[in-house]
Amino acid sequence: MAKKVFYCYNPETDNFERYYPSMRDRLITFSRYLVAGAAIGALFAVGFYYLTGGPTENALRHENSELRSKYNVLSRRLDNSLKVMDNIKNRDDNFYRVMMQMEPLARSRRYAGLDNSSRYADIASLSDAALVTRVTQQMDLLDRQLYAQSLSFDQLKGGALEQKDKLAHIPSVLPINIKDFTMSSGYGYRRDPVYGAQRFHEGLDFAAPTGTEVYATADGIVEIADRKGGYGNMIDITHGYNYLTRYAHLSKIIVSEGDEVKRGQLIGYVGSTGKSTGPHLHYEVRFKDEPQNPVNYYFMDLTPEEYADMIQLAENAGHVMD
């Protein structure tokens, strides 16, 4: 590359003469180019940073995204736990305490302190405050309900010890092993499989192979052990305290009228006798001769999760077999 030649006008000679810059001039010129280049580079760097974000900012954005995902997962899990707690609360208020003749636990005791919004004031200044507040409120609600429910169960335990004999005579377990049946029909209005009309189904139908063992669900005395019309081979057990249980369509009865039976005692085998479309057990719980929903009477036999599943099965089962 040819070296640049500079010319400068000389008024004394009225000519353009070749100019030889000094070392100082060269340094000044070089410094100007250097400063200009650095300034332009800095501008490009700043623009690129703001457009793309720095490594630290990108890492923070990624971390924030992951935290929001974890918050959402935690929130969903808390929602599911609160649903289970709500089922337990309903059983506690509407069955356990009714059965023990105890007043339902007051709302003020179940939810004490949860209406104090000032407890979440410190969270309001955080990023994602709404999400964090909601999750915190869910956790507080679950903690409070667990504490209140533990107190309620302590009260029920005390009442149970006082009414031990009564509990032994209240139906409270499944009449068939939980692994041996599928739920065919729930309690309530269903279509009759023989006549086609809507009718009230007064119990639960447990579909199971012929010969499956059937057990008494509480202590009591066998009132009927015979063939009874559409029920086929049927057992009625009176338990005292105005309770009666019925077991119908049995293939075989192995107890007799007047026998005393204990909860969990084998009393017969699944069959399809009487008005039946297939082998199953029709099971009823009656209080003061009024049919009750049997799913409310498994409190000694199922975990909360199994109980929730049983409710779902009973509500969705619609194939009446008798």
Side-chain angles (χ1 to χ4, degrees):
M1 181 177 177
K3 186 177 180 182
K4 281 189 176 183
V5 178
F6 298 92
Y7 290 89
C8 183
Y9 176 73
N10 186 346
E12 292 181 0
T13 62
D14 194 25
N15 284 319
F16 284 92
E17 298 176 356
R18 185 171 179 178
Y19 171 69
Y20 295 92
S22 66
M23 182 59 68
R24 180 175 176 276
D25 291 337
R26 290 177 181 179
L27 288 174
I28 292 173
T29 302
F30 176 75
S31 299
R32 287 173 181 170
Y33 282 121
L34 183 63
V35 171
I40 293 172
L43 287 174
F44 274 110
V46 171
F48 181 79
Y49 180 85
Y50 279 106
L51 288 174
T52 63
T56 303
E57 185 176 347
N58 286 333
L60 288 173
R61 287 176 182 170
H62 180 69
E63 183 179 351
N64 187 54
S65 177
E66 286 188 341
L67 284 174
R68 287 182 66 86
S69 297
K70 291 176 181 178
Y71 275 132
N72 289 331
V73 171
L74 178 59
S75 181
R76 287 194 296 271
R77 292 185 64 182
L78 283 170
D79 282 337
N80 291 333
S81 297
L82 288 170
K83 288 179 182 177
V84 173
M85 276 304 307
D86 195 52
N87 280 332
I88 295 173
K89 177 183 75 68
N90 288 333
R91 291 172 70 185
D92 184 40
D93 286 343
N94 301 318
F95 178 67
Y96 300 154
R97 288 179 167 269
V98 172
M99 180 187 68
M100 302 297 293
Q101 298 179 346
M102 298 170 67
E103 290 295 323
L105 198 64
R107 180 180 177 82
S108 59
R109 295 191 62 185
R110 285 197 184 276
Y111 304 104
L114 295 179
D115 56 351
N116 182 8
S117 59
S118 62
R119 63 192 294 161
Y120 306 112
D122 293 340
I123 300 175
S125 61
L126 299 176
S127 60
D128 295 322
L131 182 59
V132 177
T133 300
R134 181 175 184 274
V135 171
T136 305
Q137 288 173 331
Q138 287 176 304
M139 293 181 68
D140 286 347
L141 177 58
L142 183 60
D143 285 345
R144 179 63 214 180
Q145 290 197 69
L146 284 170
Y147 176 70
Q149 194 60 55
S150 67
L151 294 179
S152 178
F153 283 153
D154 286 343
Q155 292 177 352
L156 288 168
K157 180 181 178 181
L161 292 174
E162 296 174 0
Q163 302 188 52
K164 186 176 180 180
D165 182 70
K166 181 178 181 179
L167 283 175
H169 289 80
I170 294 177
S172 55
V173 297
L174 289 165
I176 300 179
N177 190 300
I178 193 170
K179 299 178 181 178
D180 294 339
F181 70 85
T182 56
M183 185 66 66
S184 172
S185 177
Y187 176 87
Y189 282 97
R190 298 288 190 272
R191 183 174 295 278
D192 190 289
V194 177
Y195 304 115
Q198 287 283 108
R199 70 178 180 86
F200 192 80
H201 191 239
E202 296 184 339
L204 298 179
D205 286 347
F206 298 90
T210 298
T212 301
E213 295 179 337
V214 177
Y215 306 98
T217 56
D219 296 358
I221 297 175
V222 177
E223 184 176 89
I224 298 175
D226 203 352
R227 192 176 183 91
K228 293 292 180 182
Y231 284 111
N233 292 331
M234 183 188 82
I235 299 173
D236 275 2
I237 300 176
T238 56
H239 302 282
Y241 303 99
N242 297 306
Y243 282 101
L244 178 143
T245 53
R246 177 165 294 164
Y247 314 77
H249 309 297
L250 302 170
S251 61
K252 184 178 180 181
I253 297 172
I254 61 172
V255 291
S256 302
E257 294 177 8
D259 285 353
E260 290 188 11
V261 294
K262 294 291 184 181
R263 176 183 290 130
Q265 180 177 330
L266 181 64
I267 58 174
Y269 299 92
V270 168
S272 186
T273 57
K275 187 170 77 69
S276 171
T277 59
H280 73 288
L281 172 70
H282 173 81
Y283 173 67
E284 295 180 17
V285 175
R286 307 183 79 87
F287 179 71
K288 295 183 178 179
D289 203 32
E290 292 294 327
Q292 309 293 306
N293 190 340
V295 298
N296 293 327
Y297 290 83
Y298 300 141
F299 61 91
M300 292 184 66
D301 208 25
L302 300 177
T303 65
E305 292 77 13
E306 289 173 334
Y307 177 74
D309 290 341
M310 180 66 68
I311 290 177
Q312 190 70 27
L313 288 171
E315 288 179 349
N316 293 335
H319 179 57
V320 181
M321 301 184 71
D322 50 44

